[in-house]
Amino acid sequence: MPEQEKPELEQKEKVHLKHLGHRLRVRGIRNRWMRNSFMAVMVIMLGMAIAVILGVVNYYHASMLSGLETKAQTVSDFFTSYATSEQEFEWMARSYIRDFDEKDQLELQFLSVEEQPSVQLSSFGLMAGSKPGTPDIMQVLATGQMAPWTGKDPATGEHIMTVSAPITFNGEIKAIMRLVTSLGPMDHQLGFLITLVLTGALFVILMTYVINMLFVRSIIEPMAGITETAKRIASGYYGIQLEKEYDDEIGDLLDAINDMSTRIRQNEQMKREFISSVSHELRTPLTAINGWGETLISGKLDNAQDFRKGLNIIVSESHRLTKMVEELLEFSRIEDGRFNLNVEMIDIQAEFEDAVYTYREFYRKEDITLNYQEPERDFAPLPGDPERLRQVFSNLLDNAAKHGGAGKRIDTTIGEEEGYVAIVIRDYGPGVPEKDLPHIKEKFYKGSSKARGNGIGLAVCDEIIQRHGGRLDITNATDGTGCVVTILLPKSTATPAPAPTPAAVTLAAPLPEETEAPAVEQTTPAEDSEERVEETTEVPKETRED
């Protein structure tokens, strides 16, 4: 056999074994179900049938025996009371047998008293002279009391029931009166009844079996489909959907599997887009750094201004790479649980104003007006991590310019809302597409925006705000111009009141087109230099063709 065919055969054998194991597991579940439910029903039904049969048989036998004993006692009392001699007893016995009106159902016998009692008189006539020898006769002789017996007649083998009673006069047993009835008709009726009861029990058992099989099938088949779908999802077929047939727990499980499959597909798609985006984001600054570095090394730049521009581009793109790596590291810490806050009491107003003043001069070069409305009163210190919060402010202000810079205006304010400090950043750009709003804070999500980014900045910001016990809300402005970002931070470490809805947090009256900053010396953000990134990423002609 060629070597290349062996792996294929081994793979097919593994698949066959997997399917065989699956079928065995299915049969095992069915067998366990049948043992635990059907067998219990079968045992119960058979037990009930046997109990009914025994109850009916005992009832019929007890009723018949009671009737025989009553008749036997009546006859015995009659003869004991009125027969005073053997001659009179014999005459009375013959008369009683002749006039016995139940001879069609019963046989009345009078037996002699001797070691082996024999039949002296019988309502059938043919039994005279025979010696029955049944236990009831011997028991009467031994105890002097009435005795019943049920069994097969020693002479004919017929199933009979007998009751024997002593006939006494002068204190001695002079004869034995015996009533005999055949149990054949009753056995026939009981046989029919037993057949009917057993047939009903078997029908119930059969119906239970069929219902159980249908029920087990309604569980096994969807579970087999779910198992197969889960295996396909595990092997990479994301987005597979199962058809929901039952609106019950199985249906809920199908919904969960379908939702899981959809979410995995979305996450995988976002991861692919994230990798593509990060690759593109890394390639652009690396290309600029490499190009300008080679140009500077070549010594072809004689102009000091161009030389300085090249160095600025290298520094700017290095800062951009540093920021991207820091975001990736932050996201990695969040994912593996190593993300921590260094909480202290901070002046949130001062922290936010520092970020605003830092970005204001930088945005002015982009012809973007960054307005800030000071609150009417200062805020008390609140618990927070200043480094993390500055990271949030920088990211959100940078996003406002990146995605809403077309409006050439960004408004910011800080205020109070029901136990929270509310920080609002609004731009006047195109806003966020409605289909992207529910997902904009999800990791790796970039939406339909064409702006540069890796899709994790807002996810990191949202995590930081949540770790502070607050909430980050992103909505579009009600007038349709721009996006409104609201940061809600609790004023104290105690459990705050429920965060207000985004609609309750609004900017104050429209800000002027330009608000002068205090006369302090400003510095630009670390990730940006004197030249705007879009301008400075231009690659020298010497390397652009690469």
Side-chain angles (χ1 to χ4, degrees), residues 446-476:
K446 288 183 53 122
S448 56
S449 174
K450 302 300 182 183
R452 297 174 64 180
N454 51 33
I456 60 174
L458 286 178
V460 173
C461 291
D462 186 53
E463 180 71 20
I464 292 173
I465 297 302
Q466 287 187 25
R467 293 292 182 97
H468 281 81
R471 194 174 73 199
L472 177 65
D473 293 320
I474 302 176
T475 59
N476 286 323

Side-chain angles (χ1 to χ4, degrees), residues 90-103:
E90 184 177 352
W91 178 80
M92 290 177 62
R94 292 181 183 277
S95 299
Y96 200 91
I97 287 178
R98 185 178 60 249
D99 299 333
F100 188 57
D101 55 1
E102 293 184 72
K103 60 180 64 180

